[in-house]
């Protein structure tokens, strides 16, 4: 063993490497980086100068993305060939993560774009209802159970998120519901039959509904879900005045909801129905 005065204390090593003493203690307990000497009188840990390069290697491998177990196994015996092979394997891991992050970014960007568009549509002086040529879209759907109250809708929505996470489905960070047209005409517009999550590409066939490209009449409802009746009445009246026949159930897309505001009066819901000229 080197003389104590030639060793570094755990505090010195932590300061040189800009890490915490707790990290070094954890590495010791995990068997990844153990001190050169432990003072039997007080349990203080001390490290040799040659160990600092070894610690550098561990910290760099952590930054690259290796787990402590991978680092421990690799550094039991490593050379140029084994290090090159391990780094090339990690490149594949990094490439997959980059692809996943790009997908996540595109979904976050989509949510931002929708929120900005909704804010513009809801500004004073903007038309309340308009027609849009919607592209085709997939929805990951689960049924809402009777009696179809907001409680059952909330449960179905949570189940959608849980299922999508468990199956790693590429859903957008948005939810919505389908309200049958006959219930809307009867004034029961909060009784949704399906909860859904817009999805980037197909998932389990039995849970994915394909919305076709087509003409839709849309209104942005501002306020809580129980007040949506007024917006539905406006939408039905507007379609009648413009001689448009509604040919689908209503699709409610939550634009500003509990994910982005705590105030239900600020909720923005895009309500869309497919229409044809009479």
């Amino acid at each position: 063993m080197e003389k104590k005065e030639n060793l570094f204390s755990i505090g010195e090593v932590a300061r040189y490497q800009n890490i915490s003493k707790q990290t070094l203690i954890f590495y010791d307990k995990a068997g990844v980086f153990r001190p050169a000497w432990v003072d039997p009188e007080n349990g203080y840990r001390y490290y040799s100068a040659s160990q600092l390069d070894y610690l550098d290697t561990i910290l760099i491998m952590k930054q690259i993305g290796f787990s402590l177990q991978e680092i421990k196994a690799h550094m039991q015996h490593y050379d140029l060939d084994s290090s090159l092979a391990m780094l090339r394997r990690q490149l594949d891991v990094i490439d997959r993560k980059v692809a996943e992050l790009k997908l996540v970014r595109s979904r976050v960007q989509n949510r931002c774009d929708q929120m900005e568009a909704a804010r513009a549509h809801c500004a004073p002086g903007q038309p309340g209802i308009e027609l849009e040529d919607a592209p085709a879209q997939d929805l990951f759907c689960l049924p809402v159970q009777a009696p179809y109250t907001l409680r059952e809708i909330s449960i179905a929505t949570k189940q959608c998120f849980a299922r999508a996470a468990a199956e790693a489905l590429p859903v957008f960070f948005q939810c919505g519901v389908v309200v049958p047209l006959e219930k809307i005409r009867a004034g029961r517009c909060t009784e949704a039959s399906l909860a859904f999550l817009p999805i980037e590409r197909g998932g389990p066939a039995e849970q994915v509904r394909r919305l076709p490209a087509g003409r839709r009449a849309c209104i942005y409802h501002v306020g809580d879900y129980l007040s949506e009746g007024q917006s539905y009445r406006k939408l039905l009246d507007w379609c009648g005045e413009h001689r448009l026949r509604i040919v689908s159930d209503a699709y409610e897309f939550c634009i500003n909801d509990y994910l982005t505001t705590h105030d239900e009066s600020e909720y923005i819901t895009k309500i869309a129905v497919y229409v044809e000229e009479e």
Side-chain angles (χ1 to χ4, degrees):
M1 185 199 74
E2 296 183 43
K3 292 182 180 181
K4 183 176 177 180
E5 56 266 24
N6 295 328
L7 297 176
F8 299 94
S9 70
I10 189 172
E12 289 175 319
V13 174
R15 186 168 64 254
Y16 296 151
Q17 299 286 359
N18 196 29
I19 58 177
S20 68
K21 291 190 288 186
Q22 288 72 25
T23 297
L24 289 169
I25 293 171
F26 177 74
Y27 287 175
D28 181 10
K29 292 180 177 179
V32 178
F33 184 66
R34 287 182 169 149
W37 181 64
V38 178
D39 191 325
E41 295 183 3
N42 53 30
Y44 288 176
R45 295 168 169 84
Y46 294 89
Y47 301 84
S48 66
S50 62
Q51 285 186 290
L52 299 186
D53 288 344
Y54 192 91
L55 180 57
D56 272 341
T57 303
I58 293 172
L59 297 178
I60 290 171
M61 292 185 73
K62 281 288 293 178
Q63 290 179 350
I64 293 172
F66 292 106
S67 69
L68 283 181
Q69 289 304 313
E70 289 173 324
I71 295 171
K72 180 180 178 181
H74 174 69
M75 296 187 71
Q76 288 176 355
H77 174 71
Y78 63 104
D79 55 20
L80 175 63
D81 290 337
S82 64
S83 296
L84 180 59
M86 191 172 190
L87 289 172
R88 289 199 178 281
R89 289 195 299 270
Q90 192 65 10
L91 278 177
D92 293 335
V93 173
I94 292 170
D95 287 342
R96 287 196 297 271
K97 290 181 178 180
V98 168
E100 291 169 2
L101 283 173
K102 284 182 177 179
L103 290 176
V104 171
R105 188 191 186 286
S106 71
R107 292 174 221 149
V108 174
Q109 183 65 58
N110 178 267
R111 183 68 186 258
C112 290
D113 292 344
Q114 288 190 336
M115 293 172 68
E116 289 175 351
R119 184 168 59 183
H121 278 93
C122 296
Q126 294 299 315
I129 302 173
E130 63 181 19
L131 292 175
E132 69 173 12
D133 292 313
Q137 184 175 23
D138 285 352
L139 305 177
F140 177 71
C141 304
L142 288 177
V144 176
Q145 302 300 317
Y148 313 108
T149 67
L150 293 182
R151 177 180 181 275
E152 285 73 37
I153 291 172
S154 179
I155 291 172
T157 300
K158 302 302 181 290
Q159 290 174 336
C160 278
F161 278 116
R163 281 279 301 277
E167 299 178 26
L169 298 179
V171 297
F172 291 93
F173 303 120
Q174 182 185 40
C175 59
V177 296
V178 180
V179 183
L181 181 58
E182 63 269 18
K183 290 188 176 182
I184 296 169
R185 295 193 186 283
R188 294 153 53 197
C189 54
T190 61
E191 297 183 16
S193 59
L194 293 173
F196 66 74
L197 306 178
I199 189 170
E200 197 157 17
R201 56 180 181 270
E206 66 274 14
Q207 272 88 43
V208 173
R209 172 178 291 199
R210 179 75 168 176
L211 292 187
R215 179 65 59 89
R216 298 194 306 204
C218 305
I219 185 171
Y220 286 86
H221 172 75
V222 180
D224 62 46
Y225 300 128
L226 291 177
S227 64
E228 287 181 341
Q230 55 186 323
S231 292
Y232 272 107
R233 285 191 293 273
K234 290 179 182 178
L235 184 60
L236 292 177
D237 291 345
W238 187 89
C239 288
E241 292 168 4
H242 290 77
R243 301 182 63 81
L244 296 171
R245 182 173 65 256
I246 299 175
V247 294
S248 74
D249 295 334
Y251 294 88
E252 296 184 7
F253 296 87
C254 299
I255 306 297
N256 192 35
D257 57 9
Y258 65 91
L259 292 176
T260 49
T261 184
H262 70 281
D263 187 351
E264 291 190 8
S265 69
E266 295 181 347
Y267 282 9
I268 300 176
T269 306
K270 180 181 180 180
I271 301 171
V273 291
Y274 286 84
V275 295
E276 293 177 353
E277 293 185 2
E278 292 183 351

